Amino acid sequence: MRWTICMLLVVSSFCGQTQFSVEFDPDTNRDAEVFDDVWFTHVLRNETDSLLEMKWRLFSDFSNTPEWDEYMIEFFWCGVFSSSFSFTLDTIDSMAWDQHIMLNEGAGTGSSKICFFEPKDSLNTVRCATMTVNAVYPDTYRVYVDTGFVYVINGDTH
């Protein structure tokens, strides 16, 4: 009986322990104009006293806006134009990741799901959030045609 109670206490304390936490950007749905850059900031925290081997993964759906680009950037890194990336999170430390979506061409809505996880975590703890951008053309913008740049003002070419 004592052995069972002891094992139950060990298992319950292990299961309740969180290795890391993520504070996702609170503004998950943004309106913007085509040709703008949209930034989302996510803060990742190591809740332990040891290094964590972490990974993030992006699942983007820009099928209605194929000219949009996306990358992640962290203070010490240049932009990562990949759908996944491995990194180390220091002991009892935090790290901010900026998710950057460039609305190069095409009005519409696109979404991107970002997930943070520890690949070696036996509990398979994954923290995810979906960021959505709704883009419309601005009243005035510049486009390049065969002979040079033209300005589009309220839908008319000038």
Side-chain angles (χ1 to χ4, degrees), residues 27-105:
D27 188 7
T28 61
N29 192 346
R30 304 254 179 99
D31 292 328
E33 291 183 344
V34 176
F35 311 116
D36 279 352
D37 291 343
V38 178
W39 294 87
F40 297 97
T41 300
H42 316 297
V43 179
L44 188 65
R45 287 184 178 78
N46 182 345
E47 305 288 346
T48 71
D49 58 357
S50 60
L51 292 175
L52 291 180
E53 296 296 324
M54 298 294 300
K55 192 170 193 173
W56 55 253
R57 184 160 175 86
L58 288 171
F59 303 92
S60 302
D61 182 9
F62 301 140
S63 53
N64 294 327
T65 52
E67 298 299 320
W68 290 12
D69 290 317
E70 175 180 44
Y71 67 89
M72 296 283 286
I73 190 166
E74 197 271 331
F75 181 74
F76 295 109
W77 301 92
C78 291
V80 181
F81 285 93
S82 173
S83 61
S84 66
F85 186 73
S86 298
F87 61 98
T88 302
L89 189 57
D90 288 335
T91 305
I92 315 231
D93 197 7
S94 64
M95 177 185 286
W97 283 93
D98 288 326
Q99 184 177 357
H100 181 201
I101 301 174
M102 297 168 288
L103 315 178
N104 296 328
E105 179 72 45

Side-chain angles (χ1 to χ4, degrees), residues 108-141:
T109 299
S111 64
S112 179
K113 183 176 183 179
I114 176 79
C115 295
F116 292 94
F117 58 97
E118 184 185 1
K120 296 177 183 176
D121 178 13
S122 61
L123 299 175
N124 295 317
T125 305
V126 179
R127 307 271 192 264
C128 299
T130 300
M131 307 296 135
T132 303
V133 178
N134 309 298
V136 295
Y137 278 102
D139 288 337
T140 303
Y141 60 96

